[in-house]
């Protein structure tokens, strides 16, 4: 158990990044090693609506899903010692940043497009892949989102690193981010 988190004044950590960047895997390891609670925003939405993410997209459309994302993020903003894995499209909304910046240390898991693509290719649980069916269009979405992800307070390069190593770096960087808050 890493007890370094006891000296951090942030109540929560939000993991940010493209689909397949490892937010859920790293989030679970980070929560396990620190004793914080792990939450996955998509899983919370599924639980709340009793509908899978592809079902929400196909029945009600992406706009409705985005509303649900914001609503669920807001509901979880008063928690304590939580590691939250967010959906890859969440940082595209200004409203979400207001909540993120108020309640979370935002950590962007930077991952190359090739690695993300290999991990998510053919995943039926990611309805956005139907909207961006070829590599080129998905790459354009990835590039368009980078500036949103880069608003995060901490940016971690995940290339060639294990979830354990990434989790350890998050703890170290969170302490630095904390002391620079003043
Ligand atoms: C989305 C990413 C997904 C999920 C939904 C939309 C996106 O989450 O929220 O399918 O817009 O990039 P992951 O990033 O966990 O795959």
């Amino acid at each position: 158990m890493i007890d370094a988190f006891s000296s951090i004044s942030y109540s929560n950590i939000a993991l940010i990044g493209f689909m397949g960047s490892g937010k859920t895997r790293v989030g679970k390891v980070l929560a396990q090693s620190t004793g914080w609670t792990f939450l996955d925003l998509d899983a919370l939405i599924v639980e709340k609506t009793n509908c899978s993410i592809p079902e929400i997209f196909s029945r009600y459309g992406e706009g409705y899903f985005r509303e649900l994302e914001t609503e669920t993020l807001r509901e979880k903003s008063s928690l304590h010692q939580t590691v939250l894995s967010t959906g890859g499209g969440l940082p595209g909304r200004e409203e979400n940043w207001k909540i993120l910046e108020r309640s979370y240390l935002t950590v962007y898991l930077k991952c190359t497009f090739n690695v993300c693509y290999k991990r998510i290719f053919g995943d039926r649980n990611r309805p956005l892949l139907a909207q961006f069916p070829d590599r080129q269009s998905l790459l354009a979405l990835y590039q368009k989102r980078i500036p949103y992800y880069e608003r995060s307070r901490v940016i971690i390069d995940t290339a060639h690193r294990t979830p354990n190593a990434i989790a350890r770096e998050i703890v170290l960087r969170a302490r630095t981010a904390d002391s620079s808050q003043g």
Side-chain angles (χ1 to χ4, degrees):
M1 180 93 72
I2 304 171
D3 68 356
F5 264 23
S6 56
S7 63
I8 292 169
S9 63
Y10 284 98
S11 301
N12 304 293
I13 288 196
L15 299 179
I16 308 281
F18 200 66
M19 292 175 277
S21 57
K23 293 163 292 184
T24 303
R25 279 187 72 191
V26 170
K28 283 182 180 166
V29 171
L30 181 61
Q32 207 173 22
S33 60
T34 54
W36 285 26
T37 304
F38 174 74
L39 290 177
D40 179 295
L41 203 65
D42 278 351
L44 290 171
I45 293 171
V46 169
E47 199 177 294
K48 178 174 170 162
T49 58
N50 218 9
C51 256
S52 70
I53 303 293
E55 264 177 327
I56 298 172
F57 269 70
S58 67
R59 283 200 207 163
Y60 310 107
E62 185 180 344
Y64 182 68
F65 173 76
R66 299 296 170 203
E67 291 296 330
L68 280 172
E69 257 188 331
T70 301
E71 182 186 295
T72 313
L73 178 68
R74 189 172 293 118
E75 283 165 10
K76 299 296 166 190
S77 63
S78 56
L79 296 177
H80 188 58
Q81 296 196 332
T82 299
V83 177
L84 180 74
S85 169
T86 64
L90 181 131
R93 255 192 167 193
E94 192 53 40
E95 214 177 331
N96 294 339
W97 274 104
K98 291 202 181 100
I99 305 168
L100 286 172
E101 281 166 351
R102 203 172 39 237
S103 309
Y104 293 86
L105 172 66
T106 47
V107 177
Y108 168 30
L109 299 186
K110 194 172 165 184
C111 184
T112 64
F113 176 72
N114 283 345
V115 170
C116 291
Y117 188 71
K118 268 190 210 141
R119 288 180 182 157
I120 64 179
F121 179 76
D123 185 347
R124 295 231 192 122
N125 206 33
R126 288 186 161 109
L128 226 63
L129 298 182
Q131 282 179 42
F132 298 89
D134 58 278
R135 207 176 178 284
Q136 256 337 91
S137 61
L138 198 64
L139 173 62
L141 178 71
Y142 172 93
Q143 285 165 338
K144 188 175 149 201
R145 284 179 171 177
I146 291 174
Y148 297 112
Y149 298 152
E150 286 183 340
R151 278 179 69 170
S152 302
R153 199 166 160 82
V154 170
I155 299 178
I156 305 232
D157 191 345
T158 64
H160 312 297
R161 301 171 76 189
T162 63
N164 273 306
I166 298 165
R168 274 197 300 275
E169 189 181 339
I170 294 173
V171 172
L172 292 174
R173 301 277 300 279
R175 295 175 83 184
T176 318
D178 180 54
S179 56
S180 67
Q181 282 246 306

